[in-house]
Every structure is written in structure tokens, then in C-alpha cells.
Amino acid sequence: MYRRTIKALVMALLKMFHFCASVAGFVSVWNIFYVAQDLLQLGVNISLMMFAVYTAVLLFLYFTYDVYNIGYARATDNAFGQVLSNVISAGIVYVIGSILFGGFLNPLPLLGLCVAQGLWDVLWLNIAKLVYYRFYKRRRTAVIYRNQEDLKRVEEIRYLTRKFDIQKLIEDPGDDFKTLEEDLEGFEAVIVSGVNASLRNGIAKYCIEHDVRGYFAPHVGDIIMQGAKHISSFRVPVFSVRRAFKSPIYLFLKRLFDIVVSLSAIVILSPVYLCTALAVKLYDRGPVLYKQVRLTKDGKAFNVLKFRSMRVDAEKDGVARLAAENDDRITPVGKFIRACRLDELPQFFNIFKGDMSFVGPRPERPEIAAQYENEMPAFSLRLQVKAGLTGFAQVYGKYNTTPYDKLQMDLMYVNKMSVSEDLRLIFATLRILFLPESTEGIADGQTTAMKSDEKGKAGEMSFSCDKAE
């Protein structure tokens, strides 16, 4: 326990040093290029305010992009998150400074700061990784799962080879933990997916008693209970669950934000709207906008607006289907505007109108939602709140993330809805705009993201270990 505390303390000090050095770099640049030259002529208090704004924004973005998640995230993701945080923070300070100055400040010092910080971030990340992997060795790991589909839910462990040494796969272990206990002896980590609640409870108890690190893929019920409220009226612990209910103040602020920001975006981006509309129209003379019925809060239907990215006859057979990875229905112009997310811009009108919000579960088509609900009735729980342009599933999932996992992510948002959570997800969305894998389509031949479309042919995962039957 003492050694573990020392390791955690060293890593915490490394992270604190990086953050303080990043802030110190900004303070130096601001003082040298703006304050020392008396460019702003606004006094010490204003400079202190700018330092506080930069520090607060940078800290918020570092947590939003989880840039200090050493060991579990790819180094490129950490570096990209740090660079994006630096750029956004400097940009916000630049805008505020320009407003106070009454004109545009020279942006070159802040641009130079971002470049220097990017180099510093790469250097620090390499040092932090060396220290982390010297402290934390690969854990001997067992993976426990019900079937191949449950194994695929945690397939990212294949890429965490410096974190997990997977030595055993245990498929369909049954319901009794006692028959499993001997198989777990000697392991330092256990990854669990898809097993029943009683067996999970036994594994969790074993992990705590034997100081084994446990990783559990949750069920929908687990996510619902996370948002439960403790009731102290009983002599035993009792948790109350209910349909999503938020304070009128939060709902008012959320709607006000939607109106102001969507209207501002429509005005500011009007040249982009015009150029995109012309490109779509000139390619095949078809309609510019594509209207599609989607579902929002309480199952209410509305027409979502998009710039058309597919052929006019994309669904001439009348079958509703998601876009596939190499979908020949997508036009060349459509490929470009989808890659740049320009096809989503007309949805600002849906937000302004009130059909959608900036943050919320992504709206599904009625036909596809019906298929999902037929397989898992709990899928309708996503519609407790208004549909959104972005949300938990959009930030942490992909276009082809399974509906079950999307449901879990959306319920996590429903549990945590707040002004701060909405802002965090909006800023997190800026990061995924630069990640092409977040727009991957479903596999060719599928119509929805349901794995049942694959007719039970779940792909086997490849591990260099023996499989325990």
C-alpha cells in the first residue's frame, strides 16, 4: 500500500508540474508581449483576470479531454487533447483581450505559445509514459464473458498490451462463483462482460478481498441505478428510481443556450451554408436539404434537416438503413461534407425551433428504433429527454456503436444532466470532429447497427492465450 501511494503521488506531481508549466508559459507570453509593452493599458487587475480565465479554461478542457489518462489512452489521444486545450484556451483569451482592447490583438505571440506548448506536451508525455510503465507493470489478466458478443464489447483490451497481459479467456463460466474462484488464483486483473448479476457480485467481492483490479462492462440496470436517489426513510438502504426530471431553472438555461447559440451559429456560418448548398445542388441538380423523420422526447416525431449527402434515390427500395462503411449511395460531394460534418449544419434550425437540443441522445428513425426496441425494450428509455446534436454516445462511441452500448451511454447522460455536463460534452465534441473513426459506417450488408444483422456470426477475438471452457 505504501509503494502504491508513492507511485500515485509521483504521477500526481508530474501532472501538476505539467499543468503549472503550461500556465506559466502563458503568463510569460502575456506579460512579455502584451503587458510589458503596455498594449492593453488596462492595469494589473485585468491581467490577473486573464490569467484566471486561462487557468480555469485550460483545467476544464484538460479534464474534458482526459489528457492525463496515462496508460489507458493512446499517447496520440493524450497529445491531441493537450494541443486542442491549449489552442482553445489561447483563443478564448485572445477574443476577450481583443474585446477589452477594442481591436484585434497581434495573434502571433499566442500562436507561438501554442507551438511551444505542443512541443512541451510531447516531451512531457514521453517522460510521463516512461515513469508510468516503470512503476506499473503489465497485469496478469483473465477475461470472463458469456459469449463472443460480450467479448467483442471489450475488444479494445487487445490494444492495451502494455497494460494487460491476457493469459486466460473464460467463456460462459456458469452462475456459481465458487466454481470459478480457483480459475482466478494468481491473476492481478479481471475483465468481466455479460455475466449475470450474482456472478458479477461474487467476482467483485473477490477482487476487493484479494486486491485484484476488476473491470466490469455494465448492464442497463447498473446505469439506471447510478442515477438512483438514496431514501433515508427506511432502516435499510433504499434507492428510488424515477423518470428523468430536471429543475425548471436548468431547463430554462438549456433552452436559452440552444436559442442563442443556434441563432448565432446560423448567422455566422451563413457563408458556409451557402457554399455547401451550391455544391450539393450543382453536383446532380437534386434537392439541397434532406428531411427525415426522427424521434425526440416521449417519442414525438419531427423532420430532422441535413444537407443531402446521398443520391436522390438512396432508399428507392423503401428500406430504412444506416450508411455503410463504403456506401455507394454517398455522392462525392456527400463524402466531403460528411467528413467535415457540414451535412449536420441545418440541424441548428431544428435546435432553434425546439425539436432538438445541442446535447442529448441522438434521434433515431422510427423504423430503426422499432427494430432496436423489439430486441431490447429498454431502448425507449433514451427518449426521456429531448434529442440532441451531440451527446455521450456521440463523444464516446462511434456511428456504428451497438444500440445496447448507445443506450447505456445515453442513460449515463440522463443521470448526469447539468449545465456543466452539457458544456463538457460540447467541448468534447470539438475533439471528435478531428477523429475520422467516429464517423465509421456499419458493415456492408447491414441495415442497422444491431449485431443480429450479422446473423450470429460474431467475430472471434485473437489473443495469445489458452481459452478456458
Side-chain angles (χ1 to χ4, degrees):
M1 183 64 70
Y2 174 76
R3 294 183 61 187
R4 182 184 300 176
T5 303
I6 294 298
K7 293 176 183 178
L9 180 60
V10 171
M11 292 304 300
L13 290 175
L14 263 176
K15 296 171 185 178
M16 188 179 301
F17 175 71
H18 172 267
F19 181 78
C20 291
S22 298
V23 174
F26 167 75
V27 172
S28 300
V29 168
W30 189 265
N31 280 325
I32 293 172
F33 293 97
Y34 298 110
V35 176
Q37 298 180 21
D38 203 25
L39 182 61
L40 295 179
Q41 299 177 350
L42 294 173
V44 176
N45 291 335
I46 296 298
S47 292
L48 291 176
M49 182 194 75
M50 302 300 281
F51 300 157
V53 168
Y54 182 87
T55 303
V57 172
L58 189 66
L59 184 63
F60 171 77
L61 293 175
Y62 274 9
F63 277 107
T64 296
Y65 299 138
D66 206 9
V67 299
Y68 291 136
N69 187 19
I70 309 297
Y72 289 97
R74 294 178 297 183
T76 52
D77 291 340
N78 295 132
F80 183 73
Q82 289 175 342
V83 170
L84 187 59
S85 299
N86 298 333
V87 171
I88 294 176
S89 301
I92 290 175
V93 169
Y94 176 79
V95 170
I96 295 175
S98 296
I99 293 173
L100 295 175
F101 176 62
F104 291 107
L105 296 174
N106 180 9
L108 293 180
L110 290 176
L111 289 175
L113 170 68
C114 291
V115 173
Q117 284 178 327
L119 297 174
W120 159 240
D121 292 338
V122 172
L123 174 62
W124 179 86
L125 275 172
N126 280 282
I127 295 173
K129 283 179 59 181
L130 288 174
V131 173
Y132 180 88
Y133 287 117
R134 186 173 183 84
F135 280 166
Y136 300 97
K137 306 300 182 183
R138 296 174 71 199
R139 294 191 179 100
R140 296 187 300 276
T141 304
V143 182
I144 305 171
Y145 58 100
R146 184 184 56 180
N147 54 41
Q148 284 295 315
E149 205 56 60
D150 293 316
L151 182 59
K152 289 189 69 175
R153 291 187 66 203
V154 293
E155 63 182 347
E156 281 79 9
I157 56 177
R158 289 186 297 178
Y159 310 114
L160 299 174
T161 55
R162 298 190 65 178
K163 188 73 177 177
F164 301 108
D165 178 15
I166 300 173
Q167 298 184 353
K168 181 181 287 187
L169 299 179
I170 304 175
E171 182 176 5
D172 194 15
D175 300 335
D176 187 3
F177 175 71
K178 290 183 179 180
T179 62
L180 180 66
E181 188 168 0
E182 289 186 4
D183 291 326
L184 298 183
E185 290 183 5
F187 287 101
E188 300 168 309
V190 178
I191 299 173
V192 182
S193 175
V195 303
N196 66 44
S198 60
L199 181 58
R200 283 190 305 148
N201 291 343
I203 298 172
K205 181 174 178 289
Y206 175 88
C207 290
I208 294 173
E209 290 176 344
H210 295 81
D211 195 21
V212 173
R213 188 68 63 89
Y215 302 87
F216 296 81
H219 296 292
V220 168
D222 300 326
I223 305 298
I224 294 175
M225 290 305 297
Q226 282 183 351
K229 179 181 179 181
H230 174 241
I231 303 297
S232 57
S233 302
F234 299 85
R235 288 179 294 174
V236 296
V238 173
F239 291 90
S240 170
V241 296
R242 61 177 297 179
R243 191 168 181 82
F245 175 80
K246 300 301 175 183
S247 71
I249 295 176
Y250 164 71
L251 296 177
F252 170 78
L253 293 175
K254 186 178 179 70
R255 181 61 185 139
L256 180 64
F257 178 88
D258 287 342
I259 293 174
V260 172
V261 177
S262 62
L263 182 59
S264 301
I266 291 170
V267 173
I268 294 172
L269 297 175
S270 55
V272 179
Y273 277 92
L274 179 60
C275 292
T276 306
L278 286 173
V280 174
K281 188 68 176 179
L282 293 175
Y283 175 74
D284 59 7
R285 307 296 179 179
V288 170
L289 293 177
Y290 176 62
K291 296 180 181 180
Q292 191 177 75
V293 178
R294 299 288 181 98
L295 300 179
T296 186
K297 183 179 179 181
D298 298 326
K300 180 183 177 182
F302 73 100
N303 285 320
V304 71
L305 300 176
K306 289 188 175 185
F307 282 121
R308 183 174 56 85
S309 59
M310 292 188 175
R311 301 193 312 265
V312 177
D313 61 349
E315 291 185 354
K316 59 183 178 181
D317 57 1
V319 178
R321 56 169 63 85
L322 300 178
E325 291 181 8
N326 300 301
D327 203 320
D328 60 4
R329 298 175 300 161
I330 302 175
T331 67
V333 173
K335 290 181 180 179
F336 175 79
I337 65 175
R338 287 169 71 95
C340 299
R341 274 67 169 193
L342 297 177
D343 61 319
E344 307 282 357
L345 290 182
Q347 290 171 56
F348 286 143
F349 289 96
N350 288 120
I351 295 173
F352 181 74
K353 183 181 176 183
D355 295 326
M356 296 172 58
S357 178
F358 269 102
V359 183
R362 198 77 182 107
E364 290 287 359
R365 300 178 65 172
E367 304 91 334
I368 294 177
Q371 295 180 52
Y372 293 162
E373 290 176 25
N374 186 51
E375 295 289 334
M376 44 179 184
F379 192 77
S380 62
L381 296 178
R382 301 168 68 252
L383 302 181
Q384 297 177 73
V385 298
K386 190 179 294 186
L389 182 63
T390 188
F392 229 88
Q394 287 69 51
V395 171
Y396 299 107
K398 296 180 181 179
Y399 183 79
N400 56 355
T401 296
T402 66
Y404 185 78
D405 293 325
K406 282 185 177 180
L407 170 60
Q408 290 186 320
M409 293 178 185
D410 289 331
L411 291 179
M412 290 172 67
Y413 169 70
V414 172
N415 289 342
K416 300 174 65 176
M417 284 177 66
S418 65
V419 173
S420 60
E421 183 68 7
D422 287 349
L423 290 175
R424 189 185 70 81
L425 288 172
I426 289 172
F427 276 100
T429 303
L430 297 177
R431 177 176 177 272
I432 67 170
L433 293 178
F434 300 95
L435 301 177
E437 63 265 26
S438 64
T439 59
E440 290 175 355
I442 59 174
D444 292 335
Q446 288 183 242
T447 58
T448 73
M450 287 290 289
K451 295 303 180 184
S452 59
D453 284 354
E454 297 174 340
K455 304 185 186 304
K457 297 178 181 179
E460 295 283 345
M461 292 181 65
S462 176
F463 292 100
S464 55
C465 65
D466 295 326
K467 176 180 173 182
E469 298 293 343

